[in-house]
Amino acid sequence: MNYTGVAAAPDPTPDASGALAEHSGSAIPSASTLPLPHTSAIPTAFPGALDTTPAVETDVVVIGGGQAGLAAAFHLQRVGYRPDRDFVVLDHSPRPGGAWQFRWPSLTYGKVHGMHALPGMELSGADPGRPSSEVIGAYFESYEQTFGLSVHRPVSVLAVREGADGRLLVESSEGRYASRALINATGTWDRPFWPRFPGQETFGGRQLHSSRYEGPEQFRGARVVVVGGGTSAVQQLLEIAPVAAATTWVTRRPPVFREGPFGEEEGRAAVALVEERVRQGLPPQSVVSVTGLPMTDAIRQARESGVLERLPVFERITPTGVVWADGRRVAADVILYATGFRAAIDHLAPLKLREPGGGIRMAGTRTLRDPRVHLVGYGPSASTIGANRAGRAAVHDIRRLLTLRPARRPTAPASPARFPEA
């Protein structure tokens, strides 16, 4: 494959799962449920004894090394901020690739839609038959090396709280940073959404979230209920159907399939709908929830064959399957929840950014409750093209803020003081 210095053309179509319910929370999975996807081990309390550890001063901390975080780091460097001195990028994933590195192997690059190049270096010549996790992981790694972004990983951010002298104190597994501004680009992958259903804990089969999907073979010969109306639900259902004994697709709302091209005007209209919720202080919806599902030849054939015959969501789960309010029953061996994700921003809780409606009000990428904090890859920017634009906008705003509020720059490279061993 080739990496060249030209950005890809905009296409606002995201690759995300539709959410099943408005409320959040963990389900009560059965004993046979697979574990949740890769997450950082984040303690609920930060030991007070560590609070005296000297914090390294830097201008900007970027949390997250996926598409949004790398785009922000690129633009920081472009306007004169130096990695590991003026800004630092912290990523808790084990390797480059953002959430893409955890995608299932059968999701090849040729099946991906809506993947856009990072600023300054286009991805071209990739093998469409190669797993997207490998293609995009290699691309992100090359990008980091080409621009010398010096991403610190694996590093878990434990909390961000108010520090001294108007700085933000970023507490992480590698040390503490005192930052004048923060770009949060943690995405959603670490917060898979599990809806609750009566009887969920009694199910005798297997329950798993789509984030733990590894390919169709794990469903061979099984009766599978797929819950969710987004892109991942459809992609995984189409893979499972040929090998499963039976499949049943349930969604909260009737799915909307989009015919024809999806241009910039349609993209702007869709993003505007998501932005309106954010302005109201409500939790953001996924962009795909307002764009609909793109009609492809594979989807058209699946609809004609009955694979994508949709049922409304069932009322409860039994030990042997699912039941609707009208008494209809479907036996199941596996329930696959392709029910989306929620923003992974719990580490920002000490800053009290949330509104009574549960969301974070923003002006562009800047949080209204704290102008030092920017969220990229959140709400309307939760797509690859949106993340690129948000990274640029956040840097523009932060540069202006820091110019108005001059501060002493650190005299040493941004290499944090290590925490004492427990």
Side-chain angles (χ1 to χ4, degrees):
M1 71 188 68
N2 301 314
Y3 307 123
T4 57
V6 180
D11 177 351
T13 305
D15 178 27
S17 298
L20 175 75
E22 295 296 334
H23 66 284
S24 62
S26 298
I28 308 173
S30 68
S32 61
T33 302
L34 284 176
L36 290 177
H38 165 80
T39 56
S40 296
I42 301 178
T44 56
F46 196 77
L50 301 183
D51 287 349
T52 59
T53 305
V56 172
E57 291 187 353
T58 189
D59 282 336
V60 185
V61 169
V62 179
I63 306 176
Q67 181 106 14
L70 294 183
F74 170 86
H75 288 292
L76 282 168
Q77 188 180 64
R78 190 176 186 182
V79 299
Y81 292 88
R82 295 160 292 178
D84 277 342
R85 186 176 182 90
D86 305 320
F87 74 92
V88 63
V89 183
L90 308 178
D91 181 29
H92 79 169
S93 294
R95 56 190 177 273
W100 289 100
Q101 66 192 274
F102 307 114
R103 300 291 187 180
W104 61 98
S106 54
L107 181 64
T108 57
Y109 186 67
K111 296 178 182 178
V112 170
H113 65 273
M115 168 61 201
H116 295 274
L118 288 158
M121 193 171 85
E122 185 177 348
L123 167 59
S124 62
D127 178 0
R130 188 181 176 193
S132 60
S133 58
E134 296 179 5
V135 172
I136 298 172
Y139 169 55
F140 279 22
E141 182 176 20
S142 177
Y143 189 86
E144 293 177 16
Q145 294 173 351
T146 298
F147 294 106
L149 299 179
S150 187
V151 178
H152 295 215
R153 65 167 60 89
V155 177
S156 297
V157 172
L158 313 175
V160 181
R161 62 184 80 251
E162 190 64 44
D165 301 323
R167 290 179 178 265
L168 295 163
L169 185 62
V170 180
E171 299 169 343
S172 80
S173 59
E174 82 166 4
R176 303 198 305 168
Y177 292 92
S179 174
R180 300 174 64 202
L182 178 83
I183 297 177
N184 191 83
T186 47
T188 62
W189 185 259
D190 294 315
R191 285 201 63 200
F193 174 67
W194 289 73
R196 295 178 184 273
F197 292 103
Q200 200 159 24
E201 74 283 359
T202 71
F203 184 60
R206 183 179 174 202
Q207 302 183 65
L208 70 157
H209 192 272
S210 61
S211 57
R212 295 301 298 178
Y213 178 82
E214 297 177 351
E217 281 303 313
Q218 62 187 138
F219 302 93
R220 181 172 292 279
R223 298 164 296 179
V224 184
V225 174
V226 178
V227 184
T231 304
S232 293
V234 172
Q235 287 176 329
Q236 294 172 6
L237 178 57
L238 264 58
E239 290 190 355
I240 293 169
V243 301
T247 59
T248 303
W249 185 33
V250 301
T251 69
R252 184 162 59 95
R253 292 185 299 267
V256 176
F257 293 95
R258 187 184 72 247
E259 294 273 8
F262 190 81
E264 289 191 22
E265 183 176 344
E266 292 83 359
R268 284 193 294 268
V271 169
L273 293 175
V274 181
E275 284 179 335
E276 181 58 30
R277 284 183 60 89
V278 173
R279 279 195 293 268
Q280 294 175 11
L282 299 173
Q285 291 177 306
S286 65
V287 177
V288 75
S289 69
V290 296
T291 63
L293 296 162
M295 181 65 73
T296 64
D297 290 341
I299 288 178
R300 188 174 289 106
Q301 292 171 9
R303 294 184 74 187
E304 293 172 354
S305 67
V307 169
L308 290 180
E309 180 181 342
R310 167 261 178 192
L311 294 175
V313 175
F314 45 80
E315 182 182 64
R316 67 185 187 276
I317 297 175
T318 71
T320 58
V322 297
V323 180
W324 281 259
D326 62 4
R328 176 173 183 167
R329 293 174 176 268
V330 167
D333 303 303
V334 183
I335 302 175
L336 173 62
Y337 298 98
T339 46
F341 301 81
R342 297 293 184 265
I345 52 177
D346 290 350
H347 54 285
L348 302 180
L351 298 178
K352 303 185 186 305
L353 301 175
R354 289 192 185 274
E355 301 294 330
I360 298 176
R361 291 183 64 201
M362 296 165 60
T365 62
R366 172 172 50 85
T367 64
L368 292 185
R369 288 181 178 257
D370 193 328
R372 300 168 298 177
V373 179
H374 287 251
L375 307 183
V376 297
Y378 174 88
S381 64
S383 64
T384 54
I385 185 63
N388 286 352
R389 292 169 175 169
R392 181 175 63 246
V395 170
H396 178 269
D397 207 359
I398 286 174
R399 188 185 188 193
R400 181 172 53 186
L401 174 70
L402 299 190
T403 300
L404 295 174
R405 300 180 182 182
R408 177 178 62 84
R409 289 187 178 272
T411 56
S415 179
R418 305 291 299 186
F419 290 137
E421 297 295 330

